[in-house]
Amino acid sequence: MFPERLRNLAMLVLDDAERARLKIATAESCTGGLVAALLTEIPGSSSVVDRGFVTYSNKAKEEMLGVPGDVLADFGAVSEPVARMMAEGAMANSRANIAVSITGVAGPGGGTPMKPVGTVHIACARENRAIIHEMLQLGDIGRDAIRMASVETALNMIQAQMR
């Protein structure tokens, strides 16, 4: 289902997390659970993956992850503050030591001049560390390509938080 390159990266993430005795949670919007799906495609991932939240709507971000409605209204769902709060919320509502969040505009529609298609915010939290954030501006390269690039970046950010 996933490209071999991403499967290999997922295996590395899982191996590193298992060695470090870390649990992972995901909070995904535009990727619709693809990070969790990729990780759980690997046999033995249950020793590392705690849970995944698919929070496609703003209401889900509020109810499941505790993202305040005023933050969503002020910054929009596709923003750094929301991505950071999604990662924090995934940590707070799970038994994970690391949580990654993704929110973006995968297209083909939905973009604006300020947040065009291909704009994605990814945040990764780890207990007792600063949250890291990355903003992707991929352009309108197609929904699948935007989502796969987001998954790859999220896995790389998890790796970075484990170092």
Side-chain angles (χ1 to χ4, degrees), residues 5-6 9 35 38 102 122 136 146-158:
R5 170 178 52 75
L6 288 183
L9 180 55
V35 175
L38 174 55
I102 303 174
I122 305 170
L136 305 179
I146 290 166
R147 288 162 44 114
M148 286 300 125
S150 299
V151 168
E152 183 172 7
T153 300
L155 291 175
N156 284 323
M157 289 175 73
I158 294 169

Short mmCIF file of all heavy atoms in Angstrom, two decimals, residues 5-6 9 35 38 102 122 136 146-158:
data_model
loop_
_atom_site.label_atom_id
_atom_site.label_comp_id
_atom_site.label_asym_id
_atom_site.label_seq_id
_atom_site.Cartn_x
_atom_site.Cartn_y
_atom_site.Cartn_z
N ARG A 5 10.16 2.93 0.28
CA ARG A 5 10.97 3.94 0.98
C ARG A 5 10.30 4.36 2.29
O ARG A 5 10.95 4.48 3.32
CB ARG A 5 11.16 5.12 0.04
CG ARG A 5 11.77 6.35 0.61
CD ARG A 5 11.94 7.45 -0.45
NE ARG A 5 10.77 7.77 -1.23
CZ ARG A 5 9.72 8.48 -0.79
NH1 ARG A 5 9.70 8.91 0.44
NH2 ARG A 5 8.71 8.75 -1.58
N LEU A 6 8.97 4.57 2.25
CA LEU A 6 8.25 4.97 3.47
C LEU A 6 8.12 3.80 4.44
O LEU A 6 8.21 4.00 5.66
CB LEU A 6 6.87 5.53 3.13
CG LEU A 6 6.86 6.92 2.49
CD1 LEU A 6 5.42 7.38 2.26
CD2 LEU A 6 7.61 7.93 3.33
N LEU A 9 11.37 3.62 6.28
CA LEU A 9 11.47 4.69 7.26
C LEU A 9 10.61 4.37 8.48
O LEU A 9 11.04 4.55 9.63
CB LEU A 9 11.05 6.02 6.63
CG LEU A 9 11.09 7.26 7.52
CD1 LEU A 9 12.46 7.46 8.17
CD2 LEU A 9 10.68 8.49 6.72
N VAL A 35 -0.30 8.20 8.71
CA VAL A 35 0.89 7.93 9.51
C VAL A 35 0.63 6.71 10.39
O VAL A 35 1.44 5.77 10.45
CB VAL A 35 1.32 9.14 10.36
CG1 VAL A 35 2.49 8.78 11.28
CG2 VAL A 35 1.70 10.32 9.47
N LEU A 38 0.49 3.57 8.24
CA LEU A 38 1.82 3.11 7.82
C LEU A 38 2.55 2.43 8.98
O LEU A 38 3.11 1.34 8.81
CB LEU A 38 2.64 4.28 7.29
CG LEU A 38 4.10 4.00 6.93
CD1 LEU A 38 4.24 2.86 5.94
CD2 LEU A 38 4.75 5.26 6.39
N ILE A 102 -0.49 16.51 12.15
CA ILE A 102 -0.45 17.03 10.78
C ILE A 102 -1.77 17.73 10.49
O ILE A 102 -2.84 17.16 10.71
CB ILE A 102 -0.26 15.90 9.74
CG1 ILE A 102 1.01 15.10 10.03
CG2 ILE A 102 -0.24 16.47 8.33
CD1 ILE A 102 1.20 13.89 9.13
N ILE A 122 3.22 20.53 10.50
CA ILE A 122 3.47 19.29 11.22
C ILE A 122 4.20 19.65 12.52
O ILE A 122 5.13 20.46 12.50
CB ILE A 122 4.32 18.31 10.38
CG1 ILE A 122 3.64 18.05 9.04
CG2 ILE A 122 4.55 17.00 11.14
CD1 ILE A 122 4.49 17.31 8.03
N LEU A 136 5.35 22.91 5.55
CA LEU A 136 5.63 22.52 4.17
C LEU A 136 4.82 23.41 3.24
O LEU A 136 3.65 23.68 3.51
CB LEU A 136 5.25 21.06 3.93
CG LEU A 136 5.85 20.00 4.84
CD1 LEU A 136 5.31 18.62 4.45
CD2 LEU A 136 7.35 20.03 4.79
N ILE A 146 0.95 15.28 -1.83
CA ILE A 146 0.97 16.14 -0.64
C ILE A 146 0.86 15.29 0.62
O ILE A 146 1.62 15.47 1.58
CB ILE A 146 -0.16 17.19 -0.70
CG1 ILE A 146 0.14 18.22 -1.79
CG2 ILE A 146 -0.37 17.87 0.65
CD1 ILE A 146 -1.03 19.11 -2.17
N ARG A 147 -0.05 14.34 0.60
CA ARG A 147 -0.25 13.50 1.79
C ARG A 147 0.97 12.61 2.06
O ARG A 147 1.40 12.47 3.20
CB ARG A 147 -1.54 12.69 1.64
CG ARG A 147 -2.76 13.58 1.79
CD ARG A 147 -4.07 13.01 1.26
NE ARG A 147 -4.36 11.65 1.56
CZ ARG A 147 -5.36 11.22 2.33
NH1 ARG A 147 -6.17 12.09 2.91
NH2 ARG A 147 -5.57 9.94 2.52
N MET A 148 1.56 12.03 1.02
CA MET A 148 2.74 11.17 1.22
C MET A 148 3.95 11.98 1.69
O MET A 148 4.71 11.53 2.55
CB MET A 148 3.08 10.40 -0.06
CG MET A 148 2.12 9.26 -0.36
SD MET A 148 2.09 8.02 0.95
CE MET A 148 0.34 8.00 1.30
N ALA A 149 4.13 13.19 1.15
CA ALA A 149 5.23 14.04 1.59
C ALA A 149 5.05 14.43 3.06
O ALA A 149 6.02 14.50 3.83
CB ALA A 149 5.33 15.29 0.72
N SER A 150 3.80 14.63 3.47
CA SER A 150 3.50 14.97 4.87
C SER A 150 3.81 13.79 5.78
O SER A 150 4.37 13.97 6.87
CB SER A 150 2.03 15.38 5.00
OG SER A 150 1.75 16.52 4.21
N VAL A 151 3.44 12.59 5.36
CA VAL A 151 3.73 11.39 6.14
C VAL A 151 5.24 11.23 6.32
O VAL A 151 5.73 10.97 7.42
CB VAL A 151 3.12 10.13 5.47
CG1 VAL A 151 3.65 8.85 6.08
CG2 VAL A 151 1.59 10.18 5.55
N GLU A 152 5.98 11.39 5.23
CA GLU A 152 7.44 11.25 5.31
C GLU A 152 8.05 12.28 6.26
O GLU A 152 8.90 11.94 7.09
CB GLU A 152 8.06 11.39 3.92
CG GLU A 152 9.55 11.18 3.91
CD GLU A 152 10.14 11.11 2.52
OE1 GLU A 152 9.44 11.36 1.52
OE2 GLU A 152 11.35 10.79 2.43
N THR A 153 7.61 13.51 6.15
CA THR A 153 8.13 14.55 7.04
C THR A 153 7.80 14.24 8.50
O THR A 153 8.64 14.40 9.39
CB THR A 153 7.56 15.93 6.64
OG1 THR A 153 7.96 16.21 5.30
CG2 THR A 153 8.07 17.03 7.56
N ALA A 154 6.58 13.76 8.75
CA ALA A 154 6.18 13.41 10.12
C ALA A 154 7.07 12.31 10.70
O ALA A 154 7.51 12.40 11.84
CB ALA A 154 4.71 12.98 10.15
N LEU A 155 7.36 11.29 9.91
CA LEU A 155 8.23 10.21 10.38
C LEU A 155 9.64 10.72 10.66
O LEU A 155 10.26 10.34 11.66
CB LEU A 155 8.26 9.07 9.37
CG LEU A 155 6.96 8.28 9.22
CD1 LEU A 155 7.09 7.25 8.09
CD2 LEU A 155 6.56 7.61 10.51
N ASN A 156 10.13 11.60 9.80
CA ASN A 156 11.45 12.18 10.02
C ASN A 156 11.48 13.03 11.29
O ASN A 156 12.49 13.05 12.01
CB ASN A 156 11.90 13.02 8.81
CG ASN A 156 12.35 12.13 7.67
OD1 ASN A 156 12.95 11.08 7.86
ND2 ASN A 156 12.05 12.55 6.45
N MET A 157 10.38 13.71 11.58
CA MET A 157 10.32 14.53 12.80
C MET A 157 10.27 13.65 14.05
O MET A 157 10.87 13.98 15.06
CB MET A 157 9.13 15.48 12.73
CG MET A 157 9.35 16.58 11.70
SD MET A 157 7.91 17.64 11.47
CE MET A 157 7.93 18.57 12.99
N ILE A 158 9.57 12.53 13.97
CA ILE A 158 9.58 11.58 15.10
C ILE A 158 11.01 11.10 15.34
O ILE A 158 11.48 11.06 16.48
CB ILE A 158 8.63 10.38 14.84
CG1 ILE A 158 7.17 10.84 14.81
CG2 ILE A 158 8.83 9.31 15.91
CD1 ILE A 158 6.20 9.77 14.31
#
